[in-house]
Amino acid sequence: MERELASEQAHVDKVYDRLSAAARSARQVATEGQALYRTDRNNFVRDEDGTGMYERDVFAFQAAKRLATLDAEHEGLVFGRLDRTDGEIRYIGRIGVRDADYEPLVIDWRARAAEPFYRATPADPMEVIRRRVLRSRGEKVIGIEDDLLDTDSDTDLVVLGEGALMAALSRARGSQMKDIVATIQAEQDEAIRAPYSGATIISGGPGTGKTVVALHRAAYLLYSNRRRFESGGVLVVGPSQVFMNYIERVLPSLGEDAVTLRSIGAVAVDSLGFSASVTDPPQVHRIKGSLRMVPVLRSLLDSADPNATEPPRLRVSVKGEVLILGAEELTRIRRQILRQRRYNQSLREAESALLETLWRRWSALDRGPEAAELEREAFDDLVTSSSAYRDFIAQWWPPLTAMQVLRRLADPARAALAGRDRLSTAEIELLSAVYAAETAWTVDDIALLDELTTILGPVPEAEPDEDNAVSFSDTRQAELVTTADRLSRNREIDPNADTHDSFAHILLDEAQDITPMQWRMLRRRGGGASWTIVGDPAQSSWPDRAETDQAINELIGRGPSRRFRMSTNYRSPAEVFELAAKVVRSDVPDADLPDAVRRTGVAPTLLATTGAELVPTLLDVITDLTAQVEGTIGVIAPPSRLTQLRTALDGSVGRELGRRLVVVSPLEAKGLEYDAAVVVAPDEIVAESPGGIRVLYVALTRPTQRLVTIDVDSPGRWRPARSEPGPA
């Protein structure tokens, strides 16, 4: 072992030396680039100077980009080695590195030459005799794991270790997801390297590595189609901000940072300017996520205020003649305009329609000689200059934000009018009560607000009130307002411009939880994108699986698609997963469950306590688990108990344990894993979660080593038959 470690360390040292030399060269290029194309002219720029400065900026950008790659934190830069039947040795790493003669010292893991590292098996060794995984701490090689693939080859190669994958699975977890670039398995590698076009769907149960496979796929796509995806953008969407914090280091550790990460509550930050993390109760979630909300939202904009003392009408006087447009005519004009254009960019068209209707009324009147000579242009001036017309327009077609329109649901009368024939009376009352409470916007609200933003369009910028060229902010300071300033304030807004970002590829995790309204929000950002969709129906928090399937099928359409199933649970010990499987099958008999590949010899501990003794019992459990596992401990509790438990634990555990301990809701725990998990009040989790038993299944499958459940007041109804309480 010592001899092999020393041999591998010598090669790793050579790689890092070459990397340092490349970094020094890039810094020198950046410095030289900044010194180029300087001019002493400060009053104007010649054409040749402008071209020079552009070239300088491109030069500096490329140098900085290369430096960012070279200076990135590459824990275990070199992690693999292939010994081939033809005598060639290939080292595999996070980025490609060549020596001074341009010979490869390390092959990028995404390159085709590296594929045998992931796909070779004893049945199909792909001309590889030995596959070696190097485990490093910083720049030092500290471990070796070998697989002998070609057993028929006449070789004297040393074979060491217990197998890289099982060794990696047994190590303690930290607060952030680690990449699996050194231990990717064949079925995972096939999904990672699938063609980019159309939709790639990755399914599998908990612990099968779906998420990390998808992230490695994003890195592979950027490597193999750099121009397309770096310029068009890659969006990675996850279930919560907790999850996004957990995965944020995976792609940079693989040498990629040209990716946008957003939780589902932050997808519309481009159009709204803010995000949300608060979740709705299950019954509200089902209403807000439904496609029935689309006509409800449009009705909020189309219909008049039912609380008005009298129906809206426009009444103007022209040359002594009174012209009136009633509510029915105004509604017709409004709906006709909104079928063709966005609300906030339609005021001009709405006024044109009003004036046209008024002119027809005027033309049909039996008028005197003076009125008969009135031209159309003069007629429009008379109408639009009247105070009655201006007051009406200000009330009938004011600039609106999505937030203003959605808050209209707080009014029971408007909610009833908008939800009529679409929502039940009970649903309307519940929805109105939620918005009347004026609580913070929720994750489900983000999709509704994004829908409204698309309908409304951007709010026009207000024109300046003053015509003076000079404005005074106070008695001591004056500001000159230039013509350019004034033009910029009154710039035209393209009515057809998108209010949101668009991307070339969208990677969506936990797709089974996406509501129909959220699917609409995502599709706006990926109209021409390719997709990677990751999910597991058995873990769904959205109650209607058929709606999810329909949304995915509509997204794929007739485009190319491919499906991959991850069949092996690498995370959960078999003892833990057997319990979780019994629980989920009670609700989803046809659940597609993976095979757990390892055992710890420790069965889950099922406890019961009283409400008064919950915190002391939990503290005792955490103390015991601290001695049993080295890494993280997750306490997964129903939303109604989170504040109580977080407060109690913050004041009861030391700083060292506090760094290892996290208290989360079941939905926040999605996609995460802990060395040990304590699931508190499972029956309450079922009652308070939109997915019921399926969300409890998520919670039960988070640990990699130990699972403890704590029922409150009595053994829970969730327990499979013959599951009795055990000792802590």
Side-chain angles (χ1 to χ4, degrees):
M1 174 64 80
E2 291 180 3
R3 184 177 68 251
E4 293 296 310
L5 284 173
S7 173
E8 302 299 0
Q9 186 67 58
H11 186 81
V12 170
D13 289 343
K14 185 187 300 184
V15 172
Y16 276 105
D17 288 344
R18 181 59 186 163
L19 200 67
S20 297
R24 288 194 299 271
S25 174
R27 289 190 182 91
Q28 182 178 353
V29 168
T31 301
E32 292 174 352
Q34 292 173 2
L36 292 175
Y37 310 116
R38 296 199 177 271
T39 176
D40 58 359
R41 300 175 184 273
N42 54 19
N43 57 343
F44 68 93
V45 178
R46 299 176 302 183
D47 289 345
E48 57 268 32
D49 290 332
T51 302
M53 286 187 287
Y54 173 76
E55 292 175 353
R56 178 199 65 196
D57 291 343
V58 172
F59 206 51
F61 172 77
Q62 293 297 336
K65 188 175 175 182
R66 178 62 175 162
L67 265 175
T69 301
L70 297 174
D71 290 343
E73 179 188 349
H74 296 300
E75 178 71 21
L77 172 61
V78 186
F79 57 76
R81 167 176 166 165
L82 295 175
D83 292 272
R84 293 170 50 83
T85 54
D86 59 5
E88 180 189 2
I89 297 174
R90 295 178 184 174
Y91 281 92
I92 313 300
R94 299 174 185 276
I95 60 174
V97 180
R98 295 178 180 270
D99 63 17
D101 297 325
Y102 215 65
E103 292 297 321
L105 293 173
V106 184
I107 296 171
D108 191 297
W109 69 275
R110 294 162 291 193
R112 185 172 295 277
E115 284 190 35
F117 185 77
Y118 303 107
R119 300 203 179 186
T121 64
D124 180 16
M126 299 178 70
E127 300 182 341
V128 175
I129 301 174
R130 182 183 67 180
R131 172 174 52 212
R132 167 166 288 181
V133 176
L134 308 180
R135 189 157 57 91
S136 300
R137 184 176 294 119
E139 299 181 14
K140 183 174 177 60
V141 182
I142 61 173
I144 292 173
E145 305 289 342
D146 288 334
D147 292 312
L148 185 63
L149 300 178
D150 190 348
T151 55
D152 296 331
S153 176
D154 183 14
T155 179
D156 56 358
L157 290 173
V158 175
V159 179
L160 301 168
E162 59 174 316
L165 176 61
M166 299 309 293
L169 294 176
S170 65
R171 288 198 288 273
R173 265 54 178 177
S175 60
Q176 290 187 313
M177 177 181 281
K178 304 293 186 183
D179 63 68
I180 59 167
V181 67
T183 57
I184 292 171
Q185 301 301 290
E187 70 174 2
Q188 297 173 331
D189 189 66
E190 187 179 0
I192 289 170
R193 298 176 191 269
Y196 73 81
S197 59
T200 298
I201 301 171
I202 302 174
S203 65
T208 55
K210 302 183 301 297
T211 296
V212 73
V213 166
L215 292 172
H216 284 66
R217 172 167 171 76
Y220 172 76
L221 292 177
L222 282 163
Y223 173 84
S224 57
N225 299 272
R226 176 74 57 187
R227 179 175 297 179
R228 174 184 177 85
F229 292 116
E230 197 167 66
S231 61
V234 175
L235 174 65
V236 176
V237 180
S240 67
Q241 192 55 49
V242 174
F243 175 82
M244 305 314 291
N245 294 340
Y246 180 60
I247 69 168
E248 65 180 353
R249 287 302 307 160
V250 173
L251 286 166
S253 74
L254 297 172
E256 297 296 348
D257 56 7
V259 173
T260 300
L261 302 178
R262 292 180 188 169
S263 66
I264 191 65
V267 166
V269 70
D270 46 19
S271 63
L272 302 177
F274 62 89
S275 60
S277 58
V278 179
T279 56
D280 284 297
Q283 61 272 31
V284 179
H285 173 69
R286 294 188 187 102
I287 302 170
K288 291 184 178 180
S290 171
L291 288 177
R292 294 178 296 163
M293 288 302 296
V294 175
V296 170
L297 297 177
R298 291 191 176 276
S299 180
L300 283 175
L301 193 61
D302 288 348
S303 58
D305 185 356
N307 299 304
T309 56
E310 60 182 34
R313 68 171 186 166
L314 172 60
R315 183 180 188 277
V316 294
S317 176
V318 180
K319 298 290 187 179
E321 298 285 352
V322 177
L323 303 176
I324 299 175
L325 297 184
E328 184 176 343
E329 189 73 13
L330 293 172
T331 299
R332 181 192 63 79
I333 292 172
R334 188 183 190 90
R335 290 178 176 172
Q336 180 179 351
I337 296 297
L338 293 181
R339 278 198 296 267
Q340 302 171 9
R341 296 179 64 85
R342 295 176 177 180
Y343 173 88
N344 280 327
Q345 279 68 58
S346 301
L347 176 58
R348 187 176 300 172
E349 286 73 15
E351 289 196 76
S352 296
L354 289 177
L355 293 171
E356 178 63 29
T357 306
L358 289 170
W359 174 253
R360 288 200 301 268
R361 295 279 177 90
W362 170 262
S363 302
L365 292 176
D366 183 13
R367 299 161 296 177
E370 182 182 351
E373 295 177 358
L374 187 65
E375 298 290 338
R376 173 63 190 271
E377 185 175 349
F379 173 85
D380 289 352
D381 288 342
L382 285 173
V383 172
T384 57
S385 62
S386 69
S387 60
Y389 176 84
R390 293 199 301 270
D391 291 344
F392 171 80
I393 287 295
Q395 295 179 15
W396 186 61
W397 209 285
L400 290 174
T401 66
M403 288 68 75
Q404 290 172 322
V405 175
L406 192 57
R407 286 292 185 200
R408 289 177 176 178
L409 286 171
D411 178 0
R414 299 198 82 155
L417 181 61
R420 183 180 56 190
D421 301 328
R422 302 176 182 103
L423 304 176
S424 69
T425 301
E427 289 175 323
I428 292 171
E429 292 174 352
L430 178 59
L431 206 57
S432 184
V434 166
Y435 287 110
E438 294 190 356
T439 53
W441 297 114
T442 67
V443 173
D444 285 315
D445 285 330
I446 295 299
L448 302 181
L449 291 169
D450 189 64
E451 186 83 26
L452 281 169
T453 300
T454 303
I455 297 170
L456 293 169
V459 178
E461 293 189 9
E463 296 185 6
D465 295 330
E466 299 177 359
D467 293 328
N468 298 327
V470 180
S471 63
F472 299 93
S473 56
D474 56 39
T475 57
R476 295 164 298 171
Q477 183 178 357
E479 177 187 4
L480 176 64
V481 181
T482 67
T483 301
D485 293 332
R486 295 178 63 81
L487 288 175
S488 67
R489 291 178 185 176
N490 291 279
R491 66 180 183 272
E492 288 287 331
I493 296 177
D494 182 357
N496 298 313
D498 288 334
T499 56
H500 50 75
D501 298 335
S502 59
F503 296 88
H505 189 84
I506 295 182
L507 190 161
L508 175 61
D509 201 1
E510 305 294 349
Q512 74 280 349
D513 295 338
I514 301 301
T515 71
M517 290 303 297
Q518 290 169 344
W519 277 110
R520 289 174 64 89
M521 174 178 66
L522 289 165
R523 290 178 67 173
R524 291 186 194 103
R525 287 153 181 83
S530 53
W531 293 71
T532 297
I533 301 172
V534 182
D536 175 21
Q539 300 182 61
S540 174
S541 63
W542 180 248
D544 193 336
R545 289 173 58 182
E547 277 189 324
T548 299
D549 293 340
Q550 180 182 351
I552 293 176
N553 291 334
E554 289 176 355
L555 178 70
I556 297 172
R558 297 182 178 179
S561 65
R562 57 211 66 86
R563 294 176 182 265
F564 299 92
R565 175 180 178 266
M566 304 293 106
S567 60
T568 304
N569 181 344
Y570 299 105
R571 176 202 301 141
S572 306
E575 297 88 347
V576 170
F577 193 69
E578 286 166 2
L579 171 65
K582 291 178 183 178
V583 170
V584 76
R585 280 202 174 104
S586 68
D587 187 65
V588 190
D590 61 343
D592 182 12
L593 303 181
D595 299 319
V597 296
R598 62 189 180 90
R599 290 185 173 271
T600 61
V602 180
T605 301
L606 311 184
L607 303 177
T609 188
T610 64
E613 291 297 315
L614 174 59
V615 172
T617 301
L618 179 59
L619 286 171
D620 289 342
V621 169
I622 291 171
T623 300
D624 291 341
L625 291 174
T626 303
Q628 296 169 5
V629 299
E630 297 180 0
T632 53
I633 300 173
V635 176
I636 305 173
S640 61
R641 292 188 180 270
L642 285 178
T643 301
Q644 171 202 3
L645 297 182
R646 284 170 176 161
T647 302
L649 293 177
D650 282 346
S652 304
V653 301
R655 181 178 300 176
E656 181 62 32
L657 177 55
R659 284 196 287 264
R660 297 173 54 192
L661 187 66
V662 60
V663 182
V664 293
S665 71
L667 293 180
E668 289 174 330
K670 284 210 165 191
L672 309 184
E673 59 184 31
Y674 311 100
D675 286 271
V678 185
V679 180
V680 177
D683 280 343
E684 295 176 23
I685 287 176
V686 173
E688 296 179 25
S689 301
I693 285 290
R694 298 190 298 277
V695 175
L696 176 59
Y697 172 59
V698 172
L700 295 174
T701 55
R702 296 308 96 190
T704 66
Q705 303 294 334
R706 301 282 193 275
L707 171 66
V708 179
T709 67
I710 305 178
D711 289 310
V712 179
D713 294 331
S714 63
R717 294 185 299 275
W718 67 275
R719 294 188 182 187
R722 296 185 299 279
S723 294
E724 300 299 331

